[in-house]
């Protein structure tokens, strides 16, 4: 498994804590994972009273935007065990995936600017089916610093550190069907009195 860190163009700026591994899985694993994801009872993403266009299924935990808290979800299924183990090995010692989110993006569907919920720790994303422009932005005075990662099919990205907690990310509407599997660890318990992350 090789790791590639220099795909950011045109600027050399790169969010700290971001790692990227092209060809993280084989083409046959990719096809098998897409088939498994498509066989799930995918539901439109619920954001309080709003409904997103992407379709999702959660395992381990689900964040309920109406109740504003984590809920227990179905356990992570056996067909994900191998790739979860690969992701944990990529994350390094003590990486324990507690939540998996499977997402299907039809043509023209993307995801808006956000940071993942603070309940979660590190965030890994496996891209399937087609490439997307994985965009990052961070406030810099009156403007924004911006970086785009071309997330290729079969690649894995890891957001930790500043890339996870300071930079927001988004995906513009995709030009071809894309699926992603997001793997999240849980955040370390906060020290009493420590400031919590918004969003
Ligand atoms: O599809 C992806 O790779 C990103 C998904 C994402 O950012 C999210 O669900 O919060």
């Amino acid at each position: 498994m090789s790791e590639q860190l220099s795909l950011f163009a045109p600027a050399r700026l790169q969010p700290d804590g971001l790692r990227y591994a092209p060809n993280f899985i084989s083409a046959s694993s990719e096809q098998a994972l897409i088939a498994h994801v498509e066989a799930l009872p995918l539901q439109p993403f619920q954001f309080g009273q709003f409904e997103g266009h992407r379709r999702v299924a959660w395992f381990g935990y689900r964040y309920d935007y109406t109740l504003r808290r984590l809920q227990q979800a179905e356990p992570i299924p056996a067909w994900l065990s191998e790739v979860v183990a690969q992701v944990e090995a990529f994350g390094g010692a003590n990486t324990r995936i507690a939540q998996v989110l499977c997402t299907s993006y039809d043509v023209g569907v993307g995801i808006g600017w956000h940071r993942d919920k603070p309940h979660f720790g590190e965030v890994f994303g496996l891209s399937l089916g087609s490439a997307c422009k994985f965009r990052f932005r961070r406030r810099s005075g009156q403007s924004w610093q911006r970086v785009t990662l071309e997330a290729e099919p079969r690649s894995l990205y890891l957001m930790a550190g500043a890339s996870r907690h300071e930079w927001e990310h988004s995906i513009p509407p995709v030009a071809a069907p894309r699926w992603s599997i997001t793997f999240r660890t849980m955040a370390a318990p906060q020290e009493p009195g420590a400031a919590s992350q918004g969003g």
Side-chain angles (χ1 to χ4, degrees):
M1 177 174 60
S2 68
E3 200 170 325
Q4 195 168 322
L5 293 166
S6 57
L7 285 183
F8 307 97
R12 288 286 159 90
L13 180 67
Q14 188 174 290
D16 279 350
L18 177 65
R19 289 169 61 197
Y20 177 75
N23 296 312
F24 185 74
I25 57 165
S26 67
S28 59
S29 300
E30 176 189 30
Q31 290 311 311
L33 289 171
I34 291 173
H36 276 295
V37 171
E38 275 302 301
L40 293 170
L42 298 168
Q43 301 291 324
F45 182 83
Q46 294 293 329
F47 184 73
Q49 57 180 321
F50 301 104
E51 204 168 89
H53 293 296
R54 62 192 190 280
R55 295 175 300 124
V56 298
W58 317 77
F59 298 105
Y61 292 95
R62 179 178 69 84
Y63 186 81
D64 188 312
Y65 285 85
T66 305
L67 301 174
R68 295 188 185 181
R69 61 167 188 251
L70 279 190
Q71 306 279 68
Q72 207 83 38
E74 292 289 312
I76 298 173
W79 58 267
L80 281 165
S81 304
E82 196 178 322
V83 70
V84 165
Q86 269 180 269
V87 168
E88 288 179 340
F90 181 82
N94 303 323
T95 302
R96 291 289 166 269
I97 299 303
Q99 195 234 21
V100 176
L101 168 67
C102 296
T103 305
S104 170
Y105 297 85
D106 289 332
V107 172
V109 174
I111 185 168
W113 289 110
H114 69 286
R115 276 189 293 263
D116 289 19
K117 291 290 167 201
H119 311 70
F120 299 112
E122 295 183 338
V123 178
F124 302 76
L126 184 64
S127 296
L128 307 171
S130 69
C132 75
K133 302 235 173 279
F134 200 89
R135 303 182 300 193
F136 289 87
R137 73 175 185 186
R138 177 172 72 173
R139 269 257 170 240
S140 174
Q142 298 299 308
S143 63
W144 296 91
Q145 292 178 315
R146 293 176 187 273
V147 172
T148 298
L149 169 69
E150 183 79 14
E152 299 163 311
R154 300 180 292 286
S155 70
L156 186 80
Y157 58 78
L158 161 60
M159 291 184 285
S163 68
R164 159 76 177 94
H165 297 289
E166 292 174 20
W167 293 75
E168 296 176 300
H169 58 273
S170 72
I171 299 173
V174 297
R178 175 176 182 267
W179 296 263
S180 66
I181 305 183
T182 306
F183 306 85
R184 297 180 174 121
T185 65
M186 301 310 286
Q190 290 228 325
E191 297 292 323
S196 72
Q197 185 191 340

